[in-house]
Amino acid sequence: MKKILFISYDGLTDPLGQSQILTYIEGLAAGGYKFDILSFEKEDRLRAKGEEMQKYLDARGIGWHYFTFGKAGRLLSKAADLRKMKNNALALAKENKYDLIHCRSYQAAESALRIQSKMGTPYLFDMRGFWVDERVDGKAWDKSKLIYRLLYNYYKRLERKMLANATGVISLTEKAKQEMMSWNISQLKADNITVIPCSADEKHFTIVDNAKRLASRDKLGVPRDAYVLGYLGSIGSWYLLPEMLTFFKQLKQVKKNAVFLFITPSPANMVLEKAREMGLEEKDIYITSATRAEVPAMIHAFDCGISFIMPSYSKIASSPTKMGELLISGIPIVVNSGVGDVKEIMESYGTGVVLDDFSETSVERGVAALDGLQNVSPTSIRNKALEYYKITSAFDRYRQMYNRIWTTAKV
């Protein structure tokens, strides 16, 4: 049985960790691989979910080694975390003689590079997006400040080294793959980059029908006869709340019974304050939170989902998780272009509406197009989405990449 060390700076006790890490590892482990996971966890989530998570992993034969995030100043704590990750990943690799290091994003790839240099173990660079440029585009790193210029330049050099030395690379989008090939990294070949979007578990996310829709609305206190525009996920700098509220405001002009339902872990006031500022009535806004287990039933209340993300250079490498989850549930979605392969997917499958910009004309056209989506059956939306977002297809592509790496590396 092949042994794999999976390294992640994201925690298993986070919602993202459960949907986009644990689901994948559990599926792959069932195919005959032995996984150990090295992760970093938030203290409050670890206290609340750590024991339950440990039992869950133990029952599936998956090893778990974790640390909590440092509490020093931001840059100092990150540096300490990375040092801890590198040292412990190398110690685990020496003890267990892994056949592969599967590293999620850049911090994990730093550890994999060290293990490779010391032991020759091949690694899979599962990029999850252009992290270095995301730090700048998202304004976390201000390049007008010397420290952030130095960090940016250091990690851009390291990015090339990570790609050059990886035995395999996972990209979330075709656009990102094309962009990487333009960087002229001689060791990086197109055949060695596999595109696997953020997929959705077709067993977890069930198809909506009228009975489920009404049951969900009754539970949430949303009017049965409303037209429900729905948002799923966190609200932050990347997610364009004012633009989504502008879309809803226009929708409200056309459909008087429209309401906006947010299923989010973010504070309700983030939404309500902006809604009031834009002249929207609080009675038309519904806000709730949900565990991963609760999400599939809650989103059945939606007539249509919405996800507006700030377009930028780094976002060509992004694959919004909520897109696959909504579409596999048979729910259409309104999105904006400039994010990963979103526009091409929507235009190819006809399961939603794409706005090229947020001008008044584009918003009006987008709202007008919603009527056409009501004629597309949930079954049709789900079947088309399964062609692209089915998680078992993602498992197959990971297995193929693993086998290619072992063949190439002769492990």
Side-chain angles (χ1 to χ4, degrees):
M1 179 182 287
K2 297 288 190 182
K3 295 187 294 184
I4 301 170
L5 175 62
F6 186 98
I7 309 175
S8 171
Y9 199 43
D10 293 307
L12 296 188
T13 53
D14 288 338
L16 178 143
Q18 292 164 42
S19 65
Q20 290 297 306
I21 298 177
L22 189 56
T23 301
Y24 285 80
I25 290 179
E26 186 179 352
L28 290 166
Y33 308 115
K34 174 65 176 75
F35 278 93
D36 283 339
I37 301 170
L38 175 60
S39 67
F40 276 73
E41 308 290 328
K42 296 182 179 70
E43 281 192 6
D44 57 341
R45 291 190 183 278
L46 188 62
R47 281 194 299 270
K49 297 287 185 181
E51 186 176 346
E52 177 185 344
M53 179 62 67
Q54 187 69 69
K55 290 178 181 177
Y56 186 90
L57 294 169
D58 287 347
R60 289 156 179 79
I62 299 171
W64 187 28
H65 309 267
Y66 59 80
F67 299 94
T68 55
F69 290 104
K71 293 181 178 180
R74 189 172 180 182
L75 291 177
L76 288 175
S77 66
K78 296 293 183 188
D81 288 348
L82 289 177
R83 185 165 57 252
K84 193 180 295 183
M85 179 187 285
K86 288 179 185 178
N87 291 340
N88 285 277
L90 181 59
L92 284 169
K94 287 179 176 178
E95 179 183 351
N96 294 286
K97 304 295 189 294
Y98 296 107
D99 299 291
L100 175 69
I101 311 299
H102 184 150
C103 42
R104 179 183 170 85
S105 196
Y106 289 61
Q107 295 92 343
E110 287 190 69
S111 296
L113 272 172
R114 187 180 184 194
I115 294 169
Q116 185 191 63
S117 70
K118 299 285 186 182
M119 303 179 62
T121 311
Y123 70 88
L124 174 64
F125 185 15
D126 201 340
M127 288 187 76
R128 318 312 301 173
F130 293 164
W131 176 77
V132 185
D133 291 289
E134 280 184 353
R135 303 303 291 169
V136 175
D137 291 344
K139 300 183 173 24
W141 288 359
D142 181 355
K143 286 174 68 178
S144 69
K145 297 178 180 178
L146 177 61
I147 183 64
Y148 291 116
R149 283 202 306 277
L150 292 173
L151 275 172
Y152 179 81
N153 292 333
Y154 168 76
Y155 272 106
K156 287 303 284 185
R157 290 193 299 272
L158 191 59
E159 179 181 61
R160 294 181 67 87
K161 186 176 180 181
M162 290 169 178
L163 290 167
N165 287 276
T167 319
V169 176
I170 301 296
S171 170
L172 295 178
T173 70
E174 292 289 347
K175 277 193 170 67
K177 178 177 179 176
Q178 293 165 13
E179 176 67 12
M180 283 186 278
M181 293 313 300
S182 75
W183 293 348
N184 297 317
I185 301 172
S186 59
Q187 302 96 318
L188 183 63
K189 309 300 181 186
D191 289 347
N192 210 31
I193 304 174
T194 296
V195 176
I196 306 178
C198 288
S199 303
D201 186 345
E202 59 269 23
K203 293 180 180 177
H204 188 65
F205 290 91
T206 57
I207 190 168
V208 68
D209 58 31
N210 193 55
K212 290 177 182 175
R213 178 170 283 125
L214 294 178
S216 181
R217 292 183 181 187
D218 287 347
K219 188 171 183 178
L220 292 166
V222 176
R224 282 188 160 204
D225 61 350
Y227 182 92
V228 180
L229 183 68
Y231 178 81
L232 172 66
S234 298
I235 298 164
S237 57
W238 287 111
Y239 301 101
L240 302 176
L241 178 61
E243 286 79 0
M244 289 190 285
L245 290 170
T246 296
F247 187 92
F248 174 68
K249 193 171 185 177
Q250 176 60 31
L251 174 63
K252 193 72 179 170
Q253 298 297 312
V254 177
K255 297 183 185 295
K256 304 300 182 185
N257 66 333
V259 299
F260 203 159
L261 170 60
F262 288 82
I263 301 173
T264 178
S266 302
N269 275 344
M270 287 182 68
V271 178
L272 294 175
E273 287 175 8
K274 182 57 67 173
R276 287 191 290 264
E277 181 184 313
M278 296 177 64
L280 291 165
E281 295 189 47
E282 195 169 319
K283 68 179 181 62
D284 294 326
I285 310 290
Y286 293 79
I287 306 168
T288 189
S289 60
T291 64
R292 174 167 167 74
E294 293 168 334
V295 165
M298 282 194 179
I299 62 176
H300 287 160
F302 297 0
D303 283 294
C304 183
I306 188 169
S307 175
F308 289 168
I309 298 173
M310 183 173 70
S312 66
Y313 168 73
S314 63
K315 282 301 168 185
I316 66 174
S318 292
S319 173
T321 304
K322 59 179 68 72
M323 228 173 115
E325 294 172 347
L326 290 170
L327 293 174
I328 279 182
S329 302
I331 300 165
I333 187 169
V334 181
V335 295
N336 62 289
S337 62
V339 178
D341 299 327
V342 163
K343 182 175 181 179
E344 290 75 14
I345 294 166
M346 288 291 98
E347 290 180 345
S348 174
Y349 292 105
T351 50
V353 175
V354 183
L355 271 61
D356 285 326
D357 55 50
F358 301 109
S359 66
E360 185 177 339
T361 300
S362 291
V363 170
E364 288 176 354
R365 286 176 180 166
V367 168
L370 296 185
D371 285 338
L373 290 179
Q374 290 183 286
N375 298 323
V376 182
S377 73
T379 300
S380 175
I381 293 171
R382 179 179 171 88
N383 288 342
K384 290 175 181 177
L386 286 173
E387 294 177 24
Y388 192 79
Y389 288 111
K390 188 177 182 180
I391 201 162
T392 48
S393 297
F395 295 160
D396 290 341
R397 278 175 274 180
Y398 271 114
R399 292 187 192 106
Q400 289 165 11
M401 178 58 88
Y402 286 174
N403 291 332
R404 185 184 305 161
I405 288 172
W406 289 322
T407 300
T408 302
K410 296 181 174 59
V411 173

